[in-house]
Amino acid sequence: MLFNGKALNAQMLDNGIVELRFDLEGESVNKFSRLTVAEFSEALDVIESADGVKGVLLTSGKSVFIVGADITEFGGAFSAGPEGIAELMNKNNANINRLEDLPVPTVAAINGYALGGGFEVCLGCDYRVMGDQAKVGLPEVKLGLIPGWGGTVRLPRLVGVDVAAEWIAAGKEQKPEAALAAHAVDAVVPNEQLQEAAVKLLSRAIDGELDYRAVRAVKKSPIPLNDTEALMAFFTTKTFVGGQAGRNYPSPVKAVESMEQGYKLNREEALGIEQQKFIECAQTGTAKSLVGLFLNDQAVGKVAKSWEKKADKVVERTAVLGAGIMGGGIAYQSAYKGTPIKMKDIDQKGIDLGLEEANKLLSKLVDRGRLTPLKMGEVLNRIEPTLSYDGFDDVDVVVEAVVENPKVKHAVLSEVEGKISEDTVIASNTSTISIDHLAQALKRPQNFLGMHFFNPVHKMPLVEVIRGEQTSDSAIARVVAYAKKMGKKAIVVGDCPGFLVNRVLFPYFAGFAMLVRDGADFQQIDKVMERWGWPMGPAYLMDVVGIDTGVHAEKVMAEGFPERMGKTFTAASDVMYEAGRYGQKNRKGFYNYEDDKKGRPKKVVTEESYDLLKGHVAERREFDPEEIIARMMVPMATELARCLEEGIVGSPAEADMALIYGIGFPPFRGGIFAWLDSIGLDEFLRMADKYAELGELYRPTERMREMAASGKTYYGNK
C-alpha cells in the first residue's frame, strides 16, 4: 500500500499501475471534504515520488464515484469572503492540475454518480471509462454556483462550447449514452466489466498505443475558435441561457461568461477566470439561499428517515377510498413506485375516472420514452379497481380521499374501520379539516392521521403527515415510510385548521383580497408577485387551485382562526364564486382559459372579471410594488412564525421546505424564515407595523419582536 488514508488509498497493481481509490470512512458516498482534499494531495505526493509508476487509475470503493464537494463546509468558507472561497477552491484545483500533469497516463473508472467536483476530477484524467449505470454532470448551478474545479475550463475543450454550456447551465445529470456521444467519456461498459476495461485502456496508453499527451494538450490549451465563431457561439448561448434561467438565477450566465473569457487562455489563466466567477456567484443571496435549501432538504430527509426506522412493518399493500382525479393520482403514484393499491369508489364512473387519470399519466411517460409499454402494463396491474371492500382486511394503509366534507368523511371513515384489520392505519387526504374532529368517528383513533397530498399528486413532492392528539408514533412512522416509498417528501406537522401549508397560504390570499378591495388590479398583483419570484401570482394561483375549493377552505380557516382570518367584506374570490367562475376547471375565473397549441390551458385577460368586481372594490389605481409585496408577504410570514411557535412544525428548516415543496415558494429566497433572516427581523417589523391597521394578520408575534430586539435569527446566525 503506497498510501492509506481515511478518505482514499493508493496501491500498486500489475504493470506499474497505481490504483487511487476514493473510499471515505463512515460515509455511504465519496465527497470532496477538506479531509479528502488534503489526503488527495498527500497521495499525489507519494505517487509523484514512487518508483516504477507507469499509470494511475482512479476508482471508488462506494457504489457511486464522487458526488461532489462537501456542501456542509461551504458556509464557513463563503462567510470568510473572497479569500476564504479562493482557499477552498485552490487546494483541489492544485490537486487536479497535479493529476493532469503527472508524467504518466491517467484513467478514471466511473462506477456511479460522478457529479460536480467528482466529475471535474475525472475531466482532469486523460481518459474516462463509464459504467452503464453511472451518471455524470456538473449541477453547481442548482446551488447558485458554477463549477469551481475546472469544469468550465476542461469540459468545453473536450466536448465543445455548445454542449458544455448546455450541460453546465442546465445542471442535469447525463446518462452514459449522452456522455459518450458528446465525447465527455471515452468508453461505456457494463458495471461489472468497468475495472477490467479501465485497466486495458490505461495499458494501451502506457504501451504508446494511445497518445495521452495529445489529449492532455487539448485540455490545457486555448479553444480553437476564431473571433467570429466565438462571438456567435457565446452571444447566442448567453442570450438563450439568460432567458431560461431568469433574472433571479445569475450563475448559468456566469458559467458561460467564464468559458467566454477563458477560451483564448491557457489552463492556468482560464482557471483564474473561473475562480473569479465562482467567487462572484458564491457571494450572492441566491447561492446562500440555494445552499441553505440543499442543507435543509438533507435535514428534512434525516427526520423522515428517523421516522421510517420506527415503522413496525413494511408497507406492502394499500388502498385508496375515492377514485376520481385525486384518488387516481394517489393510486398511480403508489403503483408506479412499486406498492400495489386497491382503488375503491361507490360508483363505476369514479373508478373509470381514476383509471383514466393513471392511464393518462403512464401514457405520457411511454410517449416520452421514459417507460416501456410492458412496464406500463405492470404498473396498471398494481392498481386494483373495486366497488367493494373485498380484501381490505389485508392492507397496511388506507388513504381516504373522498369529498372534502366532514359528514361524508365521518361516514366513510367509520365504515372502512369495520372492514380492515385492527393493525391497519387510516390516513385522510383532507386539506383543511381537523384530524381530531375526523377521529371522532373512529374506535381506534391511535391508528388515524392525516396524509395530505398536493395536486397534481405526481408532480408535487410534499406530503404533510398530520398528527392528531391520539395518533400513535407507529402510525406516523408507517405513513412516513409509505410516503417515502412513493417518492414523496414527508413532513410531520401538528393538527389545526389548514395544518401547515394551507394555514399559511390563506393569509397570503387574505392579503390579496384586501389589496383588490382597496383598488389594486389583480393583474398588477400577479405581475409583481411573479417578479418577486412566485411561479404564478395569487389570482392565477386561485384559478389553478379552483376558486370553489378556495372559498370552501377559506370558510374552514375563518372558523378556526376568526380573529385573523374572518373577514367583514365580500372578497374578489367570493364574487367569482357566486358568478360560477371557478377557474381553470370550468375555463373562467379571474382569467378566462383557452387551449394553447399543445392543448394546455392558457390564461386570457377578460373584462368580465372587472365588471363583476365593480361595486365590491374601490376605484382601481396603481400600487407601489413594494406595498403589494409587503401586504402579500407579511400575513404569510407572521402566520408561519405562529405555526413554529405553536409546535405545528418542528423546525424552521421543515417549515421552509414545506412551502418550497408544497406551493412553490421562490427557491432563490430560501424559504420564509431564510428570507426573514436575510432582510432582518427589524426591517420586517417596520414593514408589518406600517400596515398594522389592516388587522391581526399584520401583527407580528411577541416572539418575533423579542428575537428582533436581541438580534436573534431563525437559522442561528449561520
Side-chain angles (χ1 to χ4, degrees), residues 483-517:
K484 199 159 177 274
K485 201 173 178 184
M486 292 175 79
K488 297 301 181 184
K489 305 281 189 179
I491 294 180
V492 179
V493 300
D495 183 34
C496 64
F499 316 126
L500 178 64
V501 173
N502 279 335
R503 175 172 165 182
V504 171
L505 178 61
F506 278 87
Y508 174 81
F509 283 149
F512 168 75
M514 286 187 270
L515 276 164
V516 176
R517 175 199 65 189

Side-chain angles (χ1 to χ4, degrees), residues 460-472:
M460 302 301 286
L462 178 65
V463 168
E464 286 179 312
V465 177
I466 304 112
R467 177 201 284 275
E469 189 177 337
Q470 299 180 72
T471 305
S472 67

Side-chain angles (χ1 to χ4, degrees), residues 212-403:
Y212 72 90
R213 292 181 182 85
V215 174
R216 194 175 286 184
V218 169
K219 291 189 291 170
K220 297 168 73 172
S221 305
I223 299 174
L225 291 175
N226 63 42
D227 288 349
T228 303
E229 290 171 331
L231 178 66
M232 292 299 293
F234 291 114
F235 176 77
T236 55
T237 299
K238 275 198 298 185
T239 302
F240 176 76
V241 167
Q244 291 288 104
R247 60 194 287 271
N248 298 311
Y249 297 90
S251 64
V253 171
K254 290 287 185 185
V256 179
E257 288 177 357
S258 176
M259 288 186 270
E260 180 182 26
Q261 294 173 24
Y263 87 94
K264 284 185 176 182
L265 308 177
N266 63 30
R267 181 187 70 185
E268 281 70 22
E269 293 168 329
L271 285 172
I273 298 292
E274 180 183 79
Q275 181 176 107
Q276 174 192 333
K277 298 295 180 184
F278 184 95
I279 290 171
E280 289 173 12
C281 289
Q283 293 179 297
T284 62
T286 297
K288 183 177 181 181
S289 293
L290 294 179
V291 169
L293 283 187
F294 177 88
L295 297 175
N296 284 351
D297 184 69
Q298 300 284 303
V300 167
K302 286 179 181 177
V303 173
K305 199 167 187 178
S306 69
W307 275 112
E308 188 181 19
K309 287 178 180 177
K310 298 175 186 174
D312 55 358
K313 66 189 300 185
V314 176
V315 176
E316 295 178 339
R317 291 167 297 278
T318 60
V320 60
L321 299 178
I325 300 293
M326 178 59 79
I330 293 169
Y332 157 83
Q333 190 68 26
S334 183
Y336 180 63
K337 290 296 183 177
T339 304
I341 185 166
K342 294 177 181 293
M343 184 174 66
K344 183 190 179 302
D345 205 280
I346 58 172
D347 183 28
Q348 186 61 42
K349 288 181 181 177
I351 294 287
D352 293 343
L353 190 58
L355 288 173
E356 182 184 331
E357 178 70 6
N359 257 302
K360 180 184 74 175
L361 295 171
L362 289 165
S363 296
K364 283 182 181 178
L365 294 178
V366 171
D367 292 343
R368 293 170 186 163
R370 293 176 55 193
L371 198 70
T372 65
L374 179 62
K375 290 289 184 185
M376 175 177 170
E378 290 175 4
V379 173
L380 285 173
N381 282 338
R382 294 189 197 110
I383 302 174
E384 181 188 338
T386 179
L387 295 171
S388 75
Y389 284 107
D390 290 349
F392 268 63
D393 57 348
D394 196 32
V395 300
D396 303 311
V397 175
V398 175
V399 180
E400 170 273 302
V402 300
V403 64

Side-chain angles (χ1 to χ4, degrees), residues 587 592-596 600-604:
R587 303 175 77 85
N592 283 348
Y593 292 87
E594 58 187 40
D595 290 342
D596 65 11
R600 295 175 301 197
K602 179 181 73 174
K603 68 177 181 179
V604 179

Side-chain angles (χ1 to χ4, degrees), residues 449-461:
L449 71 170
M451 190 180 190
H452 179 208
F453 292 88
F454 289 75
N455 201 19
V457 175
H458 68 287
K459 283 186 177 179
M460 302 301 286

